[in-house]
Amino acid sequence: MKRRWVIPDIHGYVNTLRQLIENVIQVDKEDSLYFLGDYIDRGPDGKSVIDYIMSLQDQGYDIHYLIGNHEDYCIKSYELDQNRWLGKSVVHREWERYGAKATLASFGVSRPRKIDEKYIEWMRKGEFFIELDNYILVHAGLNFNISNPFEDINSMMWVRDFKVDVAKTGGKKIIHGHVPVEYGLIETLIHSNSYNFIALDNGVYYKNARDGFGNLMALNIDTMELLAQPNIDF
């Protein structure tokens, strides 16, 4: 039986991701995996997260993936660094506040321009949103202050607060990551009919730091089964 799993922000925790996919979900090639972005930064091994997802693609698994704001940082820093020989770009300096050093270390490089271009190209190919039968998947959210929220690509990666206008989504529920929310709230959003969105990011990097956080989540959007894998990379 085909299953459709949505997995939010991974942030470099590759062992946690492998455990979730291989032992908790026990994915097979009849399944579809939808990743909501933020594969890099914060955690120790962003490169290996991308390598692992690439390997699933190469093996013929049905993989769909979005681009998150952390990939946006990486791509822009890479592009700005191409012809820059002294100092760091403003974007790179800002990126450093959110995990650039860990990500560059995982690639074994000191400057963004030294990242193997195949990884940058993989990030660039990430979709900004995915529309399914009953859901719209997006990394951060949508800008409902404009007539067509699907024209605002930046908000899809970066917005932190939005109010859903169902007239602009065709009545479809939004599933997003980006901003970590407490485990109990995720369950409430999934099982209540009072909300037009599901925030799925539980802040995998918050293990032992905040109660109700620290898991990598997976949601079966056909059965609403919610799975949680605690961070095992620490």
Side-chain angles (χ1 to χ4, degrees):
M1 179 179 177
K2 182 180 178 68
R3 301 175 297 172
R4 296 182 296 171
W5 293 99
V6 179
I7 299 171
D9 313 46
I10 302 160
H11 282 301
Y13 294 103
V14 65
N15 295 319
T16 305
L17 175 64
R18 292 183 69 107
Q19 178 74 7
L20 176 67
I21 289 178
E22 296 175 13
N23 298 318
V24 180
I25 293 176
Q26 298 182 350
V27 69
D28 63 43
K29 291 183 180 177
E30 293 298 313
D31 297 333
S32 295
L33 296 176
Y34 295 88
F35 294 98
L36 297 184
D38 281 6
Y39 312 98
I40 60 172
D41 296 346
R42 302 191 187 279
D45 205 347
K47 175 183 180 294
S48 290
V49 168
I50 296 176
D51 281 334
Y52 181 61
I53 297 174
M54 284 180 169
S55 75
L56 293 175
Q57 292 175 303
D58 291 342
Q59 292 171 62
Y61 287 90
D62 188 28
I63 304 296
H64 308 264
Y65 67 100
L66 303 177
I67 181 173
N69 61 301
H70 287 264
E71 288 75 54
D72 191 37
Y73 265 141
C74 183
I75 293 167
K76 288 177 178 175
S77 296
Y78 173 88
E79 292 171 346
L80 290 169
D81 201 39
Q82 290 302 305
N83 298 308
R84 192 180 186 92
W85 299 102
L86 295 174
K88 303 172 182 177
S89 68
V90 173
V91 173
H92 184 182
R93 291 184 181 279
E94 185 174 344
W95 181 31
E96 286 186 328
R97 297 169 53 198
Y98 300 101
K101 290 182 180 179
T103 296
L104 292 176
S106 77
F107 283 101
V109 301
S110 59
R111 296 287 294 263
R113 67 167 175 261
K114 294 183 178 180
I115 297 173
D116 189 323
E117 190 174 7
K118 75 175 184 179
Y119 295 98
I120 301 299
E121 284 304 309
W122 185 88
M123 295 181 203
R124 285 175 176 153
K125 290 177 181 177
E127 299 181 76
F128 294 108
F129 73 95
I130 297 172
E131 186 170 2
L132 301 174
D133 44 4
N134 296 314
Y135 302 99
I136 294 169
L137 311 184
V138 65
H139 174 65
L142 295 173
N143 177 9
F144 289 100
N145 296 317
I146 60 176
S147 58
N148 183 359
F150 298 99
E151 293 180 348
D152 187 347
I153 290 172
N154 192 67
S155 288
M156 294 179 194
M157 295 183 289
W158 288 92
V159 71
R160 296 185 67 85
D161 186 29
F162 61 94
K163 184 177 180 180
V164 178
D165 182 343
V166 293
K168 296 178 180 179
T169 64
K172 297 182 178 183
K173 184 172 288 190
I174 291 176
I175 302 178
H176 70 92
H178 187 51
V179 178
V181 297
E182 192 268 335
Y183 191 103
L185 177 56
I186 295 174
E187 291 187 310
T188 297
L189 293 170
I190 289 170
H191 297 296
S192 173
N193 292 322
S194 301
Y195 300 93
N196 298 308
F197 68 94
I198 298 172
L200 202 54
D201 179 13
N202 189 234
V204 63
Y205 49 87
Y206 280 141
K207 182 182 178 182
N208 300 325
R210 298 174 64 179
D211 290 341
F213 292 84
N215 300 288
L216 183 58
M217 312 301 290
L219 176 65
N220 183 327
I221 57 174
D222 297 301
T223 65
M224 291 292 105
E225 178 185 10
L226 180 66
L227 300 178
Q229 171 57 50
N231 190 325
I232 61 172
D233 285 81
F234 283 143

